[in-house]
Amino acid sequence: MALVTSTEMFKKAYEGGYAIGAFNVNNMEIVQGITEAAKEVNAPLILQVSSGARKYANHTYLMKLVEAAIIETNLPICLHLDHGDTFELCKSCIDGGFTSVMIDGSHHSFQDNIELTRKVVDYAHERGVVVEGELGRLAGIEDAVNVSDADAAFTNPAEVEEFVTKTGVDSLAIAIGTSHGAYKFKPGTKPQLRFDVLEEVEKRLPNFPIVLHGASSVIPEFVEMINGNGGKMPDAIGIPEDMLRQAAKMAVCKINIDSDLRLAMTGSIRKYFNEHPDHFDPRQYLSPARTAIKGLVKNKLVNVLGCDGKA
Ligand code: G3H
Ligand code: 13P
Ligand code: ZN
């Protein structure tokens, strides 16, 4: 099995009323934890790399880790650039073997977003690579971009047909109230998503795969594991799992998860050191971290996304 694009995955997910998990990867233990979980439940996967991950771990190392995961699991895996912000970055990932890229032009004007996205689509499609575009702005932090709540904006459904037609994108990320990071809703408030916006987008773009960023649920167990072992995280509220289930049944075919992986990994490492303050072999504390990621991802694939058995 070689790396695949997300085309077939999205077609089946749309028809089947489930979503594909898109998990951010930064090192070997994260790749192993995610792919071992997917192997156990026979789920297709999107592994995504941000520009920060690429700077941290290096393109070739990440590429080879994902290739190793394919050899070990024999699963259909799509390797995707998360939040590409320039044509050059997307080109570099396409030339370097990724099968999917996101060009995030959501910080530009509508016309400039179309122009930049079209340029990436032309380059990608000629080489058999698929492209995710974005309309609307999520709050939160992604790499160098910090979007405040005030600057965040829901996707305007009236713009989606023009955007998709003029750019030729293969999938579209929209903003319906999710946000990046661990602090998605104010403590004491009730999480809410604009399912009416998603419905309207779905009506205007029949059979078209929609992407949900900022979809971590911020599992309390892991926040408690951090705070119970010397951490000091403020109250963190994520996207309730039943809302993700609802989105997956609708047009949402790709659900992005990163913060939950970070919390699981950090929680288990903090716990390990709290219990073994004299240990210093990285394999000892990275093993439970990898196991925590595996458990988290398995639960997402089976109980939230519904993509188990679909590989
Ligand atoms: O949306 C952003 C992802 O969580 C990636 O985060 O840019 O810090 O690697 P990063
Ligand atoms: P979270 O911060 O909610 O995990 O979102 C990740 C994401 O959208 C990556 O693109
Ligand atoms: Zn994102």
Side-chain angles (χ1 to χ4, degrees), residues 115-256:
E115 208 171 298
L116 175 62
T117 306
R118 177 81 245 175
K119 191 173 169 192
V120 172
V121 168
D122 286 344
Y123 189 83
H125 282 183
E126 276 170 22
R127 290 156 182 83
V129 171
V130 293
V131 180
E132 173 185 328
E134 177 164 333
L135 260 187
R137 278 179 163 202
L138 273 71
I141 299 173
E142 36 182 270
D143 262 349
V145 187
N146 185 352
V147 183
S148 70
D149 285 353
D151 287 338
F154 297 121
T155 302
N156 177 0
E159 291 181 340
V160 296
E161 287 154 290
E162 185 183 347
F163 186 82
V164 167
T165 313
K166 288 193 171 160
T167 59
V169 284
D170 303 279
S171 62
L172 181 69
I174 64 168
I176 59 167
T178 62
S179 58
H180 290 111
Y183 308 103
K184 299 186 191 295
F185 299 100
K186 300 224 158 37
T189 62
K190 199 168 164 286
Q192 275 183 332
L193 295 185
R194 292 288 303 271
F195 280 101
D196 58 320
V197 171
L198 175 57
E199 249 171 51
E200 195 54 40
V201 168
E202 193 171 332
K203 267 191 219 145
R204 289 164 187 260
L205 294 175
N207 290 315
F208 192 81
I210 299 301
V211 178
L212 209 56
H213 282 247
S216 280
S217 293
V218 190
I219 318 285
E221 177 197 339
F222 292 117
V223 177
E224 278 155 31
M225 205 185 274
I226 291 174
N227 286 342
N229 290 286
K232 279 198 168 61
M233 280 186 65
D235 280 351
I237 307 175
I239 313 296
E241 290 183 344
D242 58 343
M243 290 189 186
L244 297 175
R245 279 184 210 105
Q246 190 180 338
K249 288 201 184 91
M250 298 169 71
V252 171
C253 294
K254 173 175 180 268
I255 292 192
N256 283 14

Side-chain angles (χ1 to χ4, degrees), residues 24 48 82-83 179-181 184 213-216 256-259:
N24 286 72
Q48 53 189 16
D82 190 28
H83 293 285
S179 58
H180 290 111
K184 299 186 191 295
H213 282 247
S216 280
N256 283 14
I257 293 158
D258 185 7
S259 297

